[in-house]
Amino acid sequence: MARSIKKGPFVDHHLAKKVDTARGGGDKRPIKTWSRRSTIVPEFVGFTIAVHNGKQHVPVYVTENMVGHKLGEFALTRTFKGHTGERKAIVAPAAGPAPSAPGAAPAPAAPAAPAKK
């Protein structure tokens, strides 16, 4: 369920304070934060915020398209390394047509050469 408009977007006070001081001083260094739950507000645009993902701080450059999203959406916590299981060797055919996509209808056969008398 979304947050009510009456309350406004949630931003941790310590993060808002850090952004205000960086904006006032013209500081462009990344702002470190552990607050993944904070909503990105228009005041954050143009800053690099280093969001903690549980292991390290991931630098996130805030753009206009990110406004309204949470900081944690841009610092992934899990690394997908692929599904485990059998690895089938892909062998290219020596000659002939390329294989069709799985589930596709088979290709029509080439017309046979006329028989000699």
Side-chain angles (χ1 to χ4, degrees):
M1 182 177 271
R3 186 172 168 90
S4 75
I5 295 174
K6 180 173 72 172
K7 292 181 186 178
F10 175 81
V11 180
D12 272 329
H13 296 292
H14 60 85
L15 178 61
K17 185 178 174 183
K18 287 181 183 181
V19 171
D20 287 339
T21 57
R23 184 173 296 283
D27 192 12
K28 286 291 184 179
R29 289 182 297 168
I31 300 168
K32 269 190 180 181
T33 185
W34 281 261
S35 177
R36 300 172 55 83
R37 63 188 180 171
S38 293
T39 304
I40 298 173
V41 292
E43 289 81 27
F44 292 3
V45 173
F47 286 100
T48 301
I49 300 176
V51 184
H52 198 257
N53 71 353
K55 183 177 181 182
Q56 60 188 5
H57 286 89
V58 178
V60 175
Y61 180 74
V62 181
T63 61
E64 290 181 11
N65 294 336
M66 297 180 179
V67 173
H69 291 269
K70 302 287 185 178
L71 283 172
E73 294 180 45
F74 304 103
L76 302 179
T77 57
R78 295 180 175 93
T79 305
F80 180 69
K81 295 182 180 174
H83 296 290
T84 58
E86 275 189 60
R87 300 284 184 215
K88 296 180 181 178
I90 300 174
V91 180
S100 62
K116 290 189 177 183
K117 290 185 181 181

